[in-house]
Amino acid sequence: MLHIMVVDDEAPIRDWLVYCIQKCEAASSVTSAVNGEEAYRRILEQKPNVVFTDIRMPGMDGLALLKQIKQRHPMLPVIIMT
């Protein structure tokens, strides 16, 4: 089973993605974060299998988050949404 994280500062988009992913039988759990800083903290704690992230967010954007993730967890798949 997969633990998936969705990162987006826009609540309607984030909530819709979480809802859609939860419908997938392969996903055992889905968590979300509103920006890169929150996401990175949760990634270190929760160790998701896949991260979906927006590019433009306040604070740490999706590209900076990707850089941080790849330094610590180079094999973690990250899907960037625009």
Side-chain angles (χ1 to χ4, degrees):
M1 292 300 215
L2 293 174
H3 173 63
I4 299 169
M5 178 174 287
V6 175
V7 187
D8 199 314
D9 61 318
E10 296 182 45
I13 294 170
R14 185 179 62 246
D15 295 345
W16 178 79
L17 283 168
V18 168
Y19 172 79
C20 290
I21 293 169
Q22 286 174 333
K23 294 291 185 185
C24 177
E25 291 179 16
S28 61
S29 68
V30 183
T31 59
S32 64
V34 299
N35 59 43
E37 292 93 353
E38 178 185 358
Y40 189 66
R41 285 192 306 272
R42 289 185 178 196
I43 288 166
L44 294 177
E45 295 169 3
Q46 300 173 2
K47 299 181 182 16
N49 302 106
V50 179
V51 175
F52 288 81
T53 184
D54 189 16
I55 289 179
R56 293 187 181 201
M57 297 179 287
M60 182 189 295
D61 66 14
L63 297 177
L65 175 61
L66 175 63
K67 184 177 179 179
Q68 292 292 318
I69 291 170
K70 292 305 175 181
Q71 287 177 355
R72 193 95 183 247
H73 302 284
M75 299 305 291
L76 177 60
V78 177
I79 299 165
I80 299 201
M81 307 174 294
T82 61

